[in-house]
Amino acid sequence: MGKYLGLDSSTQSLTGIVIDADDGAISAEVSINFDAHFAEQYGVENGVIELGDGAVHSAPLMWADALDLLFKTLQAQGVELGQIRSIAGSGQQHGTVYLHASAGPTLAELTPRRSLAEQLEPVFSRATAPIWMDTSTGQQCAQIEASVGGREALLALTGNAAFERFSGPQIRKFYQDEPEAYARTHYIGLVSSFMASVLAGKLVGVDSGDASGTNLMDIRSRQWSAEALRATAPELVEKLLPVVPSCTPVGAVSPYFSARYGLAADCTVLPFSGDNPCSAIGLGLIEPGRVALSLGTSDTLFACMDEPRVSRTGEGCVFALPDDRNYMALVCFLNGSLAREAVRDEYGLDWAGFTAALQATKPGNGGALMLPYFDPEIVPKVSRPTVIRHQLDRTDAQANVRAVIEAQALSSKIHARWMGIDISSLYVTGGASANRDILRVYADVHNCPVHQFETTNSAALGAALRAAQADRGSSWQSTVEAFTQPVAGSTLLPNPSAVATYARLIDEYEALEQNHVGSAQS
Ligand code: ADP
Ligand code: XUL
């Protein structure tokens, strides 16, 4: 029997997926929505607590509470939890959890007679945890970069520029704002390592996949960097456990879960990792060259890399892949569906009308271009809404539809160059990936086959696949194969004449972007 559980502790919910690695099938899937169950008790809305001035936190005790509810729900659905051989997990990246010295002993002595929430309540030295949506640490980012010798130096060391949501700047802010509470903190973990600690009944270190989202890890050695720690806060090394390898189990599940939910006493726990690194595994990005594109509210492009190339302009992030071998690159374009919907709505179209407009227009759009920053953009960095129409008549609905899609596809090619990857195929997911006329433009711009990929919870699936790979000692290829196949018959091949058109157009688009983006940044 090869059953494995993957958990994903995300912003709004905790999801569990059970896979059967022998059958290549998902056998159970449960999601606990935080607002639906805990809004009043923990004061969350959309899973988070807005504290003003850009500070966005959540409640770590709520995540533990949700873990009880998830196992209870799986049990009620008749899932035979005793058959699960190993559990791995994924967490929203960057969020930090602050614990007292009592955390270790409390975790080791959990009694199945009382809930996790009842027992864990006293272990937090900070009741709330800043999460990835927090933008309150601009000053700390500047201080950390300056202290290690500038942005280039931090990039070389950690693979990433200082980002406000990253754990290091968040820890520094806590140390500066609440020095006494910082001093009382015995252990600092991430969302991922906190959840793994609860499950394993002992403090578990951060894995290298999630540690690469902290501005604290040496991206090459995959260990904390003494220099980055020094630049962040005093005595930090004593508050962090060493970075752990992603693929080595940390031990068996806590007896709490065996007694309460019937998990096998020898069911192992793997370190948890970040949600994006786990998603990369869940989308089958285990070899360089294969690239995934998620066309959701925002658009995200991620890829597997065999070495940690960095984005000098701070456009993208680099994370260690939780296979203890490769790396992943991630670029997030804020104006994804937001921009597509803005154009759709401006011309009173529905998606069928939007698609018809794409079909009625030709690749290259007769030279008409758009810069589609309907909202401030992350990549390229644009601080205020900026929509530029170049040789594009605003009253021409069809040309505007093609222009927004061509802009997004060209931009995805331009801003993926730093990854140094020859993109040989694109695996596309997310709501807008249902639209094959949009995908056709991506196939032609990137000159590679585009495959549709059907998955909703790639992070939880990736975590379950990590558990399976570690337990079976199987190759990554054979582990992910059955679970990461594109939708049958979905492949779109590039059209040579359109490929040639876009190869000419891309320089013009890039020049337009460079002309306008500089002035839109201030
Ligand atoms: P997220 O997970 O980021 O909330 P989804 O991946 O579920 O988003 O994508 C939802 C989006 O997909 C919708 O906001 C909508 O704009 C887009 N979408 C759905 N169907 C189509 C379609 N046929 N063509 C283009 N976009 C679509
Ligand atoms: C990535 C990031 C988010 C979180 C939330 O850098 O901040 O994707 O991981 O899921």
Side-chain angles (χ1 to χ4, degrees), residues 8-11 91-95 131-133 163 165-166 210 213 274-277 300 317 319 330 332:
D8 176 33
S9 183
S10 80
T11 315
Q92 50 172 317
Q93 290 193 263
H94 319 301
I131 62 154
W132 66 279
M133 294 165 78
F163 289 106
R165 66 187 189 286
F166 273 38
D210 219 12
D275 55 0
N276 292 300
T300 322
C317 299
F319 303 128
L330 178 141
C332 181

Side-chain angles (χ1 to χ4, degrees), residues 42-168:
Y42 293 100
V44 294
E45 194 179 337
N46 298 324
V48 308
I49 305 164
E50 300 259 6
L51 295 173
D53 291 331
V56 183
H57 289 209
S58 188
L61 192 62
M62 174 181 77
W63 304 330
D65 219 349
L67 194 58
D68 261 335
L69 185 55
L70 183 119
F71 278 113
K72 212 159 129 186
T73 311
L74 285 168
Q75 210 178 27
Q77 289 188 357
V79 177
E80 291 183 60
L81 294 170
Q83 290 181 357
I84 291 168
R85 296 179 52 85
S86 182
I87 305 174
S90 124
Q92 50 172 317
Q93 290 193 263
H94 319 301
T96 35
V97 179
Y98 301 78
L99 301 171
H100 285 304
S102 63
T106 304
L107 287 168
E109 288 156 18
L110 291 172
T111 162
R113 289 186 297 282
R114 291 164 62 216
S115 71
L116 290 172
E118 281 174 274
Q119 298 178 76
L120 294 178
E121 206 257 323
V123 307
F124 299 96
S125 59
R126 191 183 194 186
T128 59
I131 62 154
W132 66 279
M133 294 165 78
D134 190 298
T135 54
S136 66
T137 63
Q139 264 181 15
Q140 288 75 18
C141 287
Q143 290 164 351
I144 290 170
E145 286 186 349
S147 170
V148 299
R151 171 169 293 193
E152 280 286 323
L154 191 67
L155 266 168
L157 195 59
T158 70
N160 289 294
F163 289 106
E164 290 174 321
R165 66 187 189 286
F166 273 38
S167 322

